[in-house]
Amino acid sequence: MITRLRRAFGVLAPEQRRVGLAALLVLGSMLLPWYSKTTNAITSQGLAATHESKMAITVPSFVEASIFLVAIAVLVLMFARGERRAFHLPFGDGIVVTAAGAWVGFLVFYRFVDQPAGGTTKTLAYSYDLSWGIFFGLLAAAFLAYAGTRLKLSSVAEPPLPGDDPTTAASRPRRQRPPRAAREPREDAEAAARRRREAPTETRPPEDPPTAATSVAPARRPARPEPRDRPEVDGGTQLSFDEQE
């Protein structure tokens, strides 16, 4: 079992390891003194009061049981992901882990408002107060919610189901940007094309001349009308008035 745990932990992504660590911190906080129990007993010498620290796991109730089960469920989820178990959760692992952290935080905060109920018998009475360990539980719950948010933003690929296409968007890892050396030639070509499109008409480079097959013959000018024949006037001899008579 230790070998399986070690192998599964090595397969997990850094964001998934952070989630597992947060769940372990939630469980560890339950081993700290969350409550202080005060007991007032009637003895032969009179009334005697005793104080003792109580861990959250030794004061079982709905709140402590829910916190314990949620932390175990998150650890089981990360262990299954480490063993590449193929299954999908509604809204993804990141949303589920974030909701688990928020639920644990709500339950711990509820204990700040309502401590475990005390009790009385014929000879004694006991009550519970908060102790310093519960504050670590609240911090662990906040860390679990933060780890779930980081897991959601990282878009870690889930193992595809047998009938799924491994290249679908749900199982495809986050797209990485190409290196800058590979982006520069493409960006330079796009910038040059954009400058050519935005250039004014008179500064655009001349287009290639049309080929012989696509050239258009120049329009023919209309023929000028030829002048009409005018009668020739003999201006060589001019008669005087006397000769005409």
Side-chain angles (χ1 to χ4, degrees), residues 30-226:
M30 299 189 70
L31 301 177
L32 298 176
W34 279 29
Y35 311 109
S36 175
K37 183 179 180 181
T38 302
T39 305
N40 297 315
I42 300 176
T43 62
S44 58
Q45 288 86 14
L47 184 63
T50 58
H51 302 276
E52 59 178 333
S53 298
K54 287 289 185 179
M55 296 183 296
I57 201 170
T58 60
V59 185
S61 67
F62 171 77
V63 174
E64 288 76 20
S66 297
I67 295 174
F68 180 81
L69 291 177
V70 167
I72 292 295
V74 173
L75 288 175
V76 171
L77 172 63
M78 292 299 103
F79 177 72
R81 293 307 184 194
E83 290 197 335
R84 311 302 297 173
R85 301 287 181 84
F87 60 90
H88 296 326
L89 295 178
F91 308 108
D93 294 352
I95 297 296
V96 171
V97 174
T98 303
W103 175 244
V104 172
F106 171 77
L107 292 177
V108 176
F109 178 76
Y110 175 76
R111 275 300 179 223
F112 280 90
V113 180
D114 185 15
Q115 290 80 26
T120 58
T121 62
K122 293 181 179 180
T123 58
L124 58 86
Y126 61 92
S127 61
Y128 290 95
D129 295 321
L130 297 181
S131 185
W132 57 271
I134 195 171
F135 295 96
F136 286 91
L138 186 61
L139 292 177
F143 183 54
L144 181 60
Y146 168 77
T149 303
R150 298 301 302 174
L151 179 61
K152 173 61 179 177
L153 296 177
S154 65
S155 300
V156 177
E158 298 178 0
L161 294 174
D164 290 350
D165 185 3
T167 60
T168 56
S171 59
R172 188 183 305 144
R174 184 172 54 181
R175 185 177 180 181
Q176 301 292 336
R177 296 185 63 188
R180 183 173 181 81
R183 296 199 310 267
E184 287 180 353
R186 184 177 62 186
E187 293 176 356
D188 294 343
E190 293 177 356
R194 185 168 58 254
R195 285 196 298 269
R196 286 197 299 268
R197 290 194 301 267
E198 296 176 356
T201 306
E202 58 273 8
T203 60
R204 289 185 180 179
E207 299 179 355
D208 297 336
T211 59
T214 59
S215 61
V216 181
R220 297 181 60 184
R221 295 182 179 180
R224 296 180 61 183
E226 297 180 358

